[in-house]
Amino acid sequence: MKLLEIEHLKKSFGGIEVLSDLSMSVSEGEVVAVLGPSGSGKSTMLRCASLLETMDAGALRFAGSTVAEDVDGRSVYVGKKEQRELKSIFGLVFQNFNLFPHYTVLKNIIDAPVHVQKRDKEEVVQEARALLKKVGLEDKEDAYPCQLSGGQQQRVAIARALAMRPRMLFFDEPTSALDPEITAGILRILRQLAEEKMTMIIVTHEIDFARKVADRVVFMDGGVVVEQGRPEDVIDHPQNERTKMFLQKMEV
Ligand SMILES: Nc1ncnc2c1ncn2[C@@H]1O[C@H](COP(=O)(O)OP(=O)(O)OP(=O)(O)O)[C@@H](O)[C@H]1O
Ligand SMILES: [Mg+2]
């Protein structure tokens, strides 16, 4: 079962094409690491996949359901209400955590499940506590984001995404704002999620992590997928010159 399908995606900003005919898909249970140089369009691709940006052209499907289809080279989206329903399939974790500063940790996690998903508050609180335990923050539920380190805030952001019970998670450089030792803790959590067969797309510069955890590596450059495949192929035996150059610069 494909949880995410992007077909022939095109996206321009101010007349400059940032994504040109980009296609990729992610199967249930698969962990896909997206690598590529700065400006190659990785975040834009994720923002289109998560409906934060609209595609100019191309099709988008979640678990086989159409979010947008291509009609004569233009993306035509389903209605707003349907989009909102379809969006519940994924959770999103960014580089900068994006927690609500005036909510406690617990409230940050339970707010959307209670108020958007209309789930039973007691049940959601129990689940939130279990998630906090999972990310190693069981003693922080009453803290405010400003009282937490960057790594702790990112753990809360992951717990908050999981509390929505998504079928897949999108990560955009979840560790790039963090120190190396703190990064290791976040990567451990991602690795655990991978072992639990959570479907994930992770934009990352952590090559070693991608090699160990990803089922597939997608290398993007200049708004297209240049090369993709098993990590041991793409990272250790890249075929494309651009992939080779990128990996050389990353000193892999
Ligand atoms: N909202 C926007 N308006 C104008 N240009 C944009 C916008 N968002 C992205 N771009 C441009 O699109 C290109 C791709 O940007 P994007 O952020 O997707 O790259 P990236 O691969 O995520 O890079 P990085 O590794 O630095 O995060 C860049 O040239 C960027 O300047
Ligand atoms: Mg980016």
Side-chain angles (χ1 to χ4, degrees), residues 1-54:
M1 166 68 136
K2 297 250 192 268
L3 287 192
L4 175 70
E5 292 167 278
I6 299 173
E7 283 170 2
H8 305 297
L9 161 57
K10 287 187 185 164
K11 178 72 184 174
S12 299
F13 292 109
I16 296 167
E17 196 163 77
V18 167
L19 297 175
S20 359
D21 199 19
L22 181 140
S23 298
M24 69 175 284
S25 66
V26 181
S27 298
E28 189 152 33
E30 198 180 21
V31 177
V32 175
V34 180
L35 308 179
S38 181
S40 57
K42 305 178 300 292
S43 295
T44 306
M45 182 274 292
L46 263 196
R47 291 175 60 82
C48 287
S50 50
L51 307 183
L52 293 169
E53 295 281 1
T54 52

Side-chain angles (χ1 to χ4, degrees), residues 5-183:
E5 292 167 278
I6 299 173
E7 283 170 2
H8 305 297
L9 161 57
K10 287 187 185 164
K11 178 72 184 174
S12 299
F13 292 109
I16 296 167
E17 196 163 77
V18 167
L19 297 175
S20 359
D21 199 19
L22 181 140
S23 298
M24 69 175 284
S25 66
V26 181
S27 298
E28 189 152 33
E30 198 180 21
V31 177
V32 175
V34 180
L35 308 179
S38 181
S40 57
K42 305 178 300 292
S43 295
T44 306
M45 182 274 292
L46 263 196
R47 291 175 60 82
C48 287
S50 50
L51 307 183
L52 293 169
E53 295 281 1
T54 52
M55 311 186 297
D56 298 334
L60 177 63
R61 281 189 294 278
F62 294 154
S65 298
T66 297
V67 181
E69 57 185 339
D70 191 287
V71 180
D72 300 330
R74 267 193 55 233
S75 297
V76 177
Y77 283 79
V78 298
K80 286 283 170 209
K81 182 164 175 284
E82 206 177 330
Q83 282 185 38
R84 266 200 302 279
E85 281 161 14
L86 290 167
K87 270 171 89 161
S88 68
I89 194 170
F90 67 81
L92 209 51
V93 178
F94 290 108
Q95 181 176 358
N96 292 316
F97 333 130
N98 301 103
L99 300 174
F100 298 117
H102 52 293
Y103 285 178
T104 63
V105 163
L106 188 69
K107 191 159 165 55
N108 261 284
I109 298 172
I110 68 169
D111 192 61
V114 171
H115 294 110
V116 180
Q117 292 182 326
K118 312 279 182 209
R119 280 161 50 196
D120 177 69
K121 186 170 172 187
E122 271 319 299
E123 180 198 299
V124 173
V125 167
Q126 292 311 318
E127 203 171 303
R129 290 194 172 124
L131 287 169
L132 279 173
K133 188 153 185 230
K134 185 181 181 124
V135 299
L137 290 177
E138 57 268 56
D139 53 343
K140 295 288 184 197
E141 69 173 64
D142 296 322
Y144 285 87
C146 64
Q147 299 169 315
L148 302 178
S149 70
Q152 289 170 334
Q153 290 186 49
Q154 191 61 304
R155 286 163 192 249
V156 176
I158 293 170
R160 181 176 62 173
L162 288 169
M164 299 288 279
R165 296 179 173 167
R167 289 176 70 190
M168 61 180 161
L169 284 177
F170 300 155
F171 293 89
D172 194 356
E173 303 201 23
T175 61
S176 61
L178 304 173
D179 296 339
E181 57 213 283
I182 293 168
T183 291

